[in-house]
Every structure is written in C-alpha cells, then in structure tokens.
Amino acid sequence: MGRVRKAMTGPWVIVMVVVAVGAVGFGLYWFQPWKLWQDETVQEALPEVAEVSTPPPAAPSEETSAPPSPAAGPRVLAHGELISHEHTTSGTVKLVRLADGSHVVRLENLDTSNGPDLRVWLTDAQVLQGKAGWHVFDDGKYVSLGKLKGNKGSQNYALPADVDPSGFRSVSIWCDRFDVSFGAADLARA
C-alpha cells in the first residue's frame, strides 16, 4: 500500500494533474461551450439621423425659389436572406443608406447559435450553399463591422465612412476564432 501511495504522490503525477487542469481550462476558454446554451437577444431600431438645423430665412427677394425638399429617409440598397453554414442561421440582411449618406448593415430577425468571437463581415465573395462554412470567405476582400451584438433579434452595424458598399456582395456571421461562417447572405441590389 505504501508503494501505491508513494507512486500517486510522485512528482510526475503532480505534473500530469497540473497539465490536465491547464488543458481543461484552456479548452473551456478557447471553445466556450456554454455559449451554445446562452442566447443574447438585441432589438435595435433602424438609426435615425439627427435633424439638420435649418438656416434662418433669407430676406425676401424678387426671385421665388422652390421650397426646400425634405431629407430623404433611409433607403434599402440591397437585401438578402441568411442561409446556414456551420450553424443553423436564419434572418434577413439589408444594406441601408441613411438620410445623412452613411450606410448600415441591418440584420433583421436574426436567429443563429451563439459562439466565441462572432463578427459581422461585409464581403466581396459569393455565398456558397451546401458548404459547412469552412474556407468560404478566406480568399476575398472583407470588412469586419464589429462583434455580433446578439445571436437573436434585429441590429445595426455601421459601415466605416471610407468603405464603398458597392464593392461588396454578401454578409457573413463569421467566427473569427475558428475561421468559419455560421451563416451568410448574398446581397441582391434593390
């Protein structure tokens, strides 16, 4: 009995236990499996642009001018339906130009799995159906619009001012940690 006890408390056993605990801790951090059972719902309205103050009325003149036209509201430039890649994903994607000329990608009725390090990507690649999501957007041009705010609901992602949306044709819910698409949508021009 003394031999077994001595073997179980030897330095190699302690090292193995420390390594095993470290591996489990790293695996939990890296894969974050609990997120598969945690939903984050975000419900955002389409952003409104602040009213631009109108200049004071000009002194009356003999020339009559046409009344100023009201600012145009948000306009959908492209839209598409999300398809599933690595995880079951559904919802609608819209590329919207706001009245001030800025652009947002709007996800409506999004429903996908939660996961580690999920992003919203605007890409120049075509969406490939029937793929598992691996190696579908690796080679093209993309712009990361930020972390996914929630795996369910409706939400907005602003495009940087220097990005021309006409050069992009799809949107992906992208897992940056594992380089895989959870789901994506081709954007059909409106």
Side-chain angles (χ1 to χ4, degrees), residues 99-183:
D100 67 355
S102 64
H103 296 86
V104 296
V105 167
R106 178 159 175 80
L107 305 177
E108 291 183 341
N109 302 314
L110 173 66
D111 188 1
T112 191
S113 298
N114 205 343
D117 207 14
L118 294 181
R119 309 277 174 170
V120 177
W121 275 15
L122 185 62
T123 79
D124 68 348
Q126 179 180 356
V127 174
L128 302 174
Q129 294 201 23
K131 290 281 202 167
W134 302 93
H135 311 292
V136 291
F137 297 110
D138 297 31
D139 299 330
K141 180 172 76 170
Y142 71 91
V143 174
S144 178
L145 302 179
K147 287 190 172 226
L148 186 68
K149 297 173 184 176
N151 64 308
K152 296 188 180 297
S154 297
Q155 47 213 265
N156 307 301
Y157 297 87
L159 270 67
D162 61 343
V163 172
D164 177 11
S166 66
F168 297 92
R169 61 187 292 181
S170 62
V171 172
S172 173
I173 307 302
W174 185 259
C175 179
D176 221 17
R177 178 156 305 157
F178 295 105
D179 291 328
V180 65
S181 174
F182 274 33

Side-chain angles (χ1 to χ4, degrees), residues 13-29:
V13 172
I14 294 171
V15 168
M16 292 300 290
V17 168
V18 168
V19 168
V21 168
V24 168
F26 178 77
L28 287 173
Y29 165 76

